[in-house]
Amino acid sequence: MATIRGVNLGGWFVLERWMKPRLFTGVDGPDETIFCKQAVNAYDKLLNHWDTFITEDDFLYIKSLGLNSVRIPIPWWTFKEVKPYYNSLPFIKRAMEWAHRHGLLVLLDLHTAPGCQNGFDNGGITGVIDWPKTQENIDLTVEVLGIIAEEFKDAPALWGIEVLNEPHFSIDLNLIQRFYLNAYQAIRKILPHVKIVFHDSFRPTDPSWRDFFANNEFTDVLFDLHLYQCFEEKFRHYSLSEHIQEALVRGDRLISELSALVPIIVGEWSLGLSPSVFENFDPFQHDVGLKLYALAQLHAYEKGYGWYFWSYRLDIEEPSGWHFRDLVERNIMPNQYGK
């Protein structure tokens, strides 16, 4: 049984246009960098967004479902005062206080890095992967992780720190693993017992991971997999039954096998699928099928140390397989996760 059951509070402190399109009115790009450069009264809009997108009532709601943790993506620039960005730290601190008040553990996830580690909107700068090109970027990321550890070392809700979200699959794994080791050491100097989480860089079965975890003296380290079934080309041709089977196989094989090496969390997953999966489904069949897909994934991910759905909230009009709260209220995701 999973120890951690939670949701991501995505789109809060690292903007992604698709999660709140109205915020990007007048902006011609999908990420926070372009938002900060182009949005009229960007800071005022961010202040309102940070104050209203997720509230204390949301923490209460999450806890009422029996979930026990939230993963909070945070940007590197908040800890170094870099232009054109703005500082969300007071709101991150308030989120930590809310989590503690309502008995939720927090995984702080460094979601962006200097130069951008993946070229995705969630990395802050779409189409750019300059993070691995200079040692200065990598060293600055380690420095920021030390600042985060120092800033939150006395926060009772702090359960873990994820050192970097989704470094791109094209980056040399030797470079990533050296960075992980340095990041681990920087955090451990300040926080002896907090969980430290490494993302798999979309290569969970690469043989080098076995040596990495076996040859370093880590304590309280977790390995994070993001298991989506909508981005790879092969999934465009899957039927719903094949998607369900894929989820079950991942639990029985991938998660179970890797768990023998290191504790596994599925730090991101969703019900997002290609619309073609539901061609010729009526609304009832669509919702039943989506519920089966949700239950198959939950069954699989319970075999690991824990999981976090992406994401708790989207500010959009149409139903979505990415909008956790709406899925609960539509009775597609379960409404109770406690013991």
Side-chain angles (χ1 to χ4, degrees):
M1 182 177 67
T3 299
I4 291 295
R5 295 170 177 152
V7 288
N8 283 275
L9 303 185
W12 194 8
F13 300 119
V14 178
L15 300 184
E16 299 181 39
R17 183 187 192 118
W18 69 277
M19 300 183 73
K20 191 175 180 179
R22 285 174 292 184
L23 185 62
F24 279 75
T25 299
V27 176
D28 65 6
D31 56 62
E32 188 152 345
T33 300
I34 198 69
F35 176 87
C36 290
K37 289 179 177 179
Q38 291 188 358
V40 177
N41 299 320
Y43 184 50
D44 290 340
K45 290 177 179 177
L46 282 170
L47 287 174
N48 180 68
H49 170 72
W50 295 332
D51 198 38
T52 61
F53 187 65
I54 304 289
T55 69
E56 186 171 6
D57 285 344
D58 292 306
F59 283 73
L60 277 164
Y61 179 79
I62 291 165
K63 183 64 176 180
S64 76
L65 298 178
L67 297 170
N68 60 13
S69 187
V70 290
R71 181 174 179 259
I72 304 181
I74 57 176
W76 77 273
W77 51 74
T78 274
F79 302 92
K80 295 300 288 185
E81 298 288 351
V82 190
K83 293 301 180 184
Y85 307 105
Y86 299 95
N87 188 339
S88 58
L89 184 56
F91 295 89
I92 298 172
K93 288 181 176 179
R94 187 177 69 174
M96 297 295 287
E97 293 168 1
W98 287 344
H100 176 55
R101 187 177 304 162
H102 301 296
L104 291 168
L105 302 172
V106 176
L107 173 58
L108 286 177
D109 156 49
L110 187 60
H111 219 64
T112 72
C116 192
Q117 76 279 16
N118 55 30
F120 306 149
D121 52 359
N122 63 54
I125 313 174
T126 308
V128 174
I129 312 176
D130 286 347
W131 175 76
K133 294 181 180 179
T134 71
Q135 190 61 41
E136 181 182 4
N137 284 340
I138 297 168
D139 291 344
L140 180 54
T141 309
V142 174
E143 179 186 347
V144 167
L145 287 163
I147 294 170
I148 292 169
E150 190 67 40
E151 187 69 56
F152 294 103
K153 67 181 180 182
D154 297 320
L158 182 63
W159 172 78
I161 296 175
E162 183 152 1
V163 303
L164 189 59
N165 179 68
E166 296 188 343
H168 199 266
F169 51 80
S170 65
I171 301 174
D172 181 7
L173 269 181
N174 288 324
L175 181 152
I176 291 172
Q177 290 167 0
R178 286 196 303 271
F179 160 69
Y180 283 175
L181 183 58
N182 291 335
Y184 174 88
Q185 293 168 344
I187 294 169
R188 273 288 170 262
K189 291 176 182 177
I190 301 164
L191 292 166
H193 304 299
V194 73
K195 304 292 185 186
I196 296 178
V197 181
F198 302 137
H199 184 260
D200 66 358
S201 190
F202 303 105
R203 288 164 283 182
T205 59
D206 189 282
S208 68
W209 289 118
R210 180 169 296 278
D211 289 340
F212 177 70
F213 289 113
N215 295 339
N216 292 292
E217 295 185 5
F218 293 131
T219 58
D220 289 325
V221 158
L222 305 175
F223 199 34
D224 176 18
L225 319 182
H226 294 178
L227 299 182
Y228 295 123
Q229 294 189 36
C230 54
F231 297 118
E232 296 175 56
E233 178 64 28
K234 68 174 183 178
F235 291 130
R236 297 187 181 186
H237 310 290
Y238 269 33
S239 68
L240 180 61
S241 296
E242 288 171 320
H243 280 292
I244 291 169
Q245 184 62 31
E246 178 86 11
L248 294 172
V249 167
R250 281 173 163 177
D252 288 338
R253 295 183 184 172
L254 180 63
I255 295 173
S256 296
E257 290 175 7
L258 289 174
S259 293
L261 179 65
V262 60
I264 299 297
I265 63 167
V266 180
E268 294 185 20
W269 62 283
S270 77
L271 304 190
L273 294 172
S274 169
S276 63
V277 171
F278 297 104
E279 286 180 354
N280 303 317
F281 281 43
D282 66 28
F284 174 76
Q285 292 168 332
H286 174 278
D287 286 359
V288 169
L290 208 56
K291 183 183 289 189
L292 285 171
Y293 181 50
L295 294 176
Q297 290 190 87
L298 285 166
H299 174 74
Y301 306 155
E302 282 284 311
K303 296 178 184 293
Y305 191 89
W307 49 264
Y308 295 91
F309 188 95
W310 186 280
S311 185
Y312 170 73
R313 179 184 177 190
L314 274 63
D315 192 356
I316 59 175
E317 299 297 330
E318 64 276 7
S320 171
W322 302 83
H323 187 171
F324 178 82
R325 180 159 182 164
D326 181 63
L327 290 165
V328 171
E329 293 172 350
R330 290 166 54 203
N331 198 34
I332 290 172
M333 291 290 290
N335 63 12
Q336 188 53 241
Y337 298 84
K339 296 180 181 179

